[in-house]
Amino acid sequence: MVAEVDGPTLAISDSRVTDVGGLPVHRSLPKREQRMVGAWCFLDRFGPIAVSPSRTMTVGPHPHMGLHTVTWLLEGQVLHSDSLGNAQPIRPGQLNLMTAGHGIAHAEDARSEPAGNMDGVQLWVAQPDATRHDPPSFAHHAELPVVDLGNGKGTVLLGEFDGSRSPAHVDSPLVGVEIAGSGIMELPLDPAFEYGLAVLHGGVRMDEADAAPNHFVYLGVSRSAIVIELADAARLLLLGGQPFAEEIIMWWNFVARDRAELESAYADWAGAQPRFGQVASTLQRIDAPRPYWSR
Ligand code: MN
């Protein structure tokens, strides 16, 4: 759905709690009232939660198409394995960026992590029509640019922020920054982008409104900066991008343009077709639910 956005706004919404891989997650995107911010179309926050090797995140092999997955940890460690043969542990401060294109499968397994805490986010970015049929790829970025914001810092996950550009590849104009700090700071913004803020820890006050952990603050477009006040060692994600001009359909782990594409992805995964490949994982493969409209 292409959103109607014509200026700055401020709308605070709560996330909803669901279950992924045995752990509760807070989902901020998509929601009925907020389907996308730029090309950002999915945001799950898992944790903070105490984990042990017998009770931790285990997401068995499953497919994706038409999107990038963006994984960012605040605590803990997760092993990413995919059908291209990558086996990449990710730790806090690092970025995993998986590009699904025409099709890929992966598993996420935190069982090798000793008892501790798990906290992180997984986001999806919709690929534009120009690249969504391309072959899949995977990149791990251990070093990301950090900008000084006076009372805090911003780590640039994707895109460009305050003159610093992430080395991670993007298919459309967008930005993702983790903001951490305490006190007042001004964030430079691109007036052509729409923005949202996801609160992970602490609190944030802007335009006389307060947001708490797992709140999502939609900011609209046409802002060249925003002044925010962070409290209690806050950590936020700033997400932005050019309003996505293409109408997408999301179903299960797929982003498409029509139901026929989703049905063919379902059939290819159900039939273990080579399209999505094989993942070397001891976790059980996850079956796709049958598309509800074709039951
Ligand atoms: Mn996945």
Side-chain angles (χ1 to χ4, degrees), residues 59-64 67 69 71 80 98 105-108 122 124 253:
V59 184
H62 61 279
H64 287 287
L67 58 90
T69 65
T71 308
H80 158 97
M98 184 176 81
H106 73 147
E108 290 149 304
Q122 186 168 93
W124 298 352
N253 292 309

Side-chain angles (χ1 to χ4, degrees), residues 80-203:
H80 158 97
S81 308
D82 65 40
S83 52
L84 300 174
N86 298 293
Q88 177 66 58
I90 180 171
R91 299 179 178 83
Q94 306 176 339
L95 178 75
N96 273 2
L97 177 66
M98 184 176 81
T99 299
H102 177 64
I104 194 170
H106 73 147
E108 290 149 304
D109 187 350
R111 289 176 297 175
S112 66
E113 174 75 353
N117 288 324
M118 173 73 72
D119 193 5
V121 289
Q122 186 168 93
L123 305 109
W124 298 352
V125 173
Q127 291 183 266
D129 210 44
T131 60
R132 69 190 186 96
H133 301 292
D134 288 352
S137 61
F138 173 80
H140 175 76
H141 296 280
E143 303 282 335
L144 296 166
V146 177
V147 301
D148 183 1
L149 295 168
N151 284 323
K153 60 175 188 170
T155 306
V156 188
L157 279 55
L158 288 179
E160 183 177 345
F161 178 74
D162 201 16
S164 290
R165 174 165 284 278
S166 164
H169 176 82
V170 289
D171 286 358
S172 63
L174 60 88
V175 69
V177 186
E178 195 213 55
I179 311 284
S182 296
I184 293 174
M185 57 184 75
E186 184 175 61
L187 309 180
L189 303 178
D190 179 340
F193 281 12
E194 59 178 336
Y195 286 94
L197 274 177
V199 185
L200 305 177
H201 283 287

Side-chain angles (χ1 to χ4, degrees), residues 10-23:
L10 193 141
I12 299 178
S13 57
D14 209 347
S15 50
R16 66 178 192 278
V17 180
T18 182
D19 175 280
V20 173
L23 295 183

